[in-house]
Amino acid sequence: MNVVYNLGERRRKKQWKFERSMLRSLSIHEMRNDAERTFFSGQIGETVGTLYLMDFCLDIGIDAYLLGSEYARFGYFGETAEQAEKRCEEELNALTGQTASQFTAWYTGGERSIDEHRKKSSAFIKKWWKKGFTEGEKKYRLRLH
């Protein structure tokens, strides 16, 4: 009996398995609280825009966390977090740009507001990327990948 494996499919399944295992160690409650502190600290009440943006922040935070965990492989092989972060700088900038654009679209406030949204977005994304990197590195060290 001949068995033919599709290498791309096998890689994709391995990646999904790794991502699922990483998501088990992620606290959505902690991420939600962090997003509230970072982006919504001065607002009172919940509006449709706030609820939408909170969901968007959680999605972006999860993406940053998984991206960090994916690049943790380089940390396992001896690179520092800063070196690994430079490898995925383009993806992190894209996530930061998307987040800042969403906040700018919902809250108008001029040029100063755009810079403020970009700074907050960058800090939030880098924080969750770093957490994903740290957790991923632990999994690689324990050979749980």
Side-chain angles (χ1 to χ4, degrees):
M1 180 174 176
N2 293 334
V3 179
V4 177
Y5 282 104
N6 184 346
L7 192 57
E9 183 180 327
R10 189 164 191 279
R11 279 188 189 140
R12 194 170 34 253
K13 284 182 181 180
K14 187 174 181 181
Q15 180 71 21
W16 288 341
K17 181 181 175 191
F18 178 73
E19 287 178 358
R20 280 195 303 272
S21 74
M22 288 304 302
L23 289 174
R24 286 187 193 107
S25 60
L26 175 65
S27 170
I28 296 296
H29 181 68
E30 183 183 346
M31 187 181 288
R32 179 180 294 277
N33 289 340
D34 186 41
E36 285 177 5
R37 279 191 307 272
T38 304
F39 296 107
F40 307 107
S41 61
Q43 295 181 356
I44 300 171
E46 291 187 344
T47 63
V48 173
T50 304
L51 293 174
Y52 168 78
L53 288 172
M54 178 58 75
D55 286 344
F56 183 80
C57 286
L58 293 176
D59 287 343
I60 291 292
I62 290 170
D63 288 345
Y65 181 84
L66 291 175
L67 185 65
S69 67
E70 182 181 333
Y71 279 81
R73 176 172 33 106
F74 298 111
Y76 173 70
F77 290 119
E79 286 190 8
T80 64
E82 291 77 24
Q83 289 170 328
E85 189 177 338
K86 285 193 185 302
R87 285 180 178 262
C88 64
E89 191 172 358
E90 189 175 312
E91 289 134 323
L92 290 174
N93 287 339
L95 290 174
T96 300
Q98 289 173 357
T99 308
S101 296
Q102 285 294 324
F103 277 93
T104 303
W106 280 90
Y107 301 120
T108 58
E111 191 67 33
R112 183 171 177 243
S113 174
I114 293 170
D115 291 338
E116 186 177 326
H117 292 312
R118 184 167 277 287
K119 287 177 187 174
K120 287 180 179 180
S121 301
S122 178
F124 179 76
I125 288 166
K126 285 185 180 184
K127 177 181 180 177
W128 287 100
W129 182 91
K130 180 74 172 168
K131 283 189 182 226
F133 183 85
T134 304
E135 287 296 316
E137 207 172 21
K138 286 179 192 175
K139 285 204 185 276
Y140 275 103
R141 289 192 198 285
L142 295 172
R143 299 191 190 270
L144 297 175
H145 56 89

